[in-house]
Amino acid sequence: MRSFLLSAFAALMLGAASVADGDSLRSGPWALYEAGDWAAAEQLAATGSDASSRTLAAQAVLARLMSGELADESRGDKREAARRAQSHARSALDFDPDYAPAYLRLAAGIGYEARYRSSVSAAMARLPQRGLAHIETALDVDPSDPWAHALLGAWHLEVARKGGEGIFGSDIQTGLAAYRRAVSMEEAEPAIPYHFALALIAADPAAHGDEALAMLDQALAEPAPDAFAQAAQALAASLQAEFEADPAAAQTLAITRLEQ
């Protein structure tokens, strides 16, 4: 079995709207991020002396991992990228220990690190528990952020799917409720309903097919103002087409996307 720490909350990725707090950030690294130049966005944001900039640096690394930009790199190089995302997030918390978006990027970076480690190594390092703790901290600090609820939902559903319900305290109903709360919130971006659909189809396309299709419709209907949102919509469209043609094949595709 691969790492218990869900790839889903690593791949869920988090939109960057909540980390762009100032005009200077939007006109510099934020503009690069929006355009999909994530390597340059990371380099520039990492020089910032505030929590927002350093969190965007973490987000830019995660975007490269999620998009497949680093697909041809070695597992060691991808693991190092995941650790770099964590380092940026921790530096953001040095500037502001109560900055919820940084906790979420830290959790996602841990998730990617676990993906590129063995399940035994990840468990011994307590990566699942550490990732969940950061999500819960983000929720305590800012319960209005839909990404925090989405990551909580992803954690419970994917840990239950891969390790069995109850492992590390995972609970399917908690996961479903958290995801449903996330997609109902005003600032839910296309990646949130898309990844909820991904989790539903991976779990059981027969039981969850109607809800999954509704989530894909929502993902495609949401505004997509930047490169990351546009990438999420492209993934949603291809998953929807696959599901409508062959639900079993769509389940295989969903699992592949959650684990690759």
Side-chain angles (χ1 to χ4, degrees):
M1 181 180 297
R2 298 184 63 182
S3 168
F4 285 121
L5 187 61
L6 72 160
S7 340
F9 85 69
L12 223 172
M13 275 310 306
L14 316 169
S18 60
V19 308
D21 291 337
D23 291 339
S24 61
L25 184 58
R26 283 191 172 278
S27 62
W30 172 249
L32 293 168
Y33 181 91
E34 284 188 317
D37 192 350
W38 296 314
E42 179 200 355
Q43 289 182 343
L44 187 56
T47 67
S49 56
D50 58 89
S52 294
S53 295
R54 298 300 180 90
T55 301
L56 184 56
Q59 172 64 23
V61 179
L62 294 168
R64 298 184 72 197
L65 287 165
M66 184 267 186
S67 69
E69 188 174 302
L70 302 181
D72 294 333
E73 301 294 325
S74 69
R75 287 176 62 85
D77 286 342
K78 287 184 280 191
R79 185 167 59 246
E80 174 57 31
R83 289 173 176 166
R84 196 167 70 250
Q86 294 173 58
S87 178
H88 291 316
R90 289 192 179 97
S91 69
L93 292 170
D94 288 338
F95 286 108
D96 183 353
D98 294 322
Y99 196 58
Y103 284 106
L104 296 179
R105 277 69 183 180
L106 180 53
I110 289 171
Y112 265 112
E113 180 182 351
R115 183 182 299 192
Y116 304 123
R117 291 174 63 164
S118 71
S119 58
V120 172
S121 173
M124 289 183 65
R126 294 181 58 81
L127 296 186
Q129 297 94 321
R130 287 165 52 196
L132 179 59
H134 292 312
I135 296 169
E136 291 175 336
T137 297
L139 277 166
D140 287 341
V141 174
D142 183 9
S144 70
D145 188 343
W147 287 108
H149 298 280
L151 284 180
L152 181 65
W155 193 96
H156 281 280
L157 292 183
E158 188 66 1
V159 169
R161 182 182 71 81
K162 294 175 74 173
E165 188 169 16
I167 189 74
F168 300 125
S170 61
D171 179 78
I172 291 172
Q173 291 306 313
T174 298
L176 290 171
Y179 249 138
R180 288 168 181 156
R181 189 177 307 114
V183 299
S184 71
M185 298 173 77
E186 281 189 15
E187 295 183 2
E189 300 175 32
I192 294 179
Y194 161 64
H195 279 91
F196 187 18
L198 204 63
L200 291 169
I201 293 170
D204 189 337
H208 302 300
D210 289 344
E211 185 170 18
L213 286 173
M215 290 300 99
L216 292 171
D217 285 341
Q218 180 176 336
L220 293 169
E222 296 286 348
D226 57 43
F228 175 68
Q230 292 157 16
Q233 287 190 330
L235 291 168
S238 62
L239 182 62
Q240 184 182 63
E242 188 75 6
F243 186 87
E244 290 173 345
D246 184 345
Q251 183 179 31
T252 299
L253 175 60
I255 292 171
T256 298
R257 288 182 179 179
L258 288 173
E259 297 184 351
Q260 67 185 0

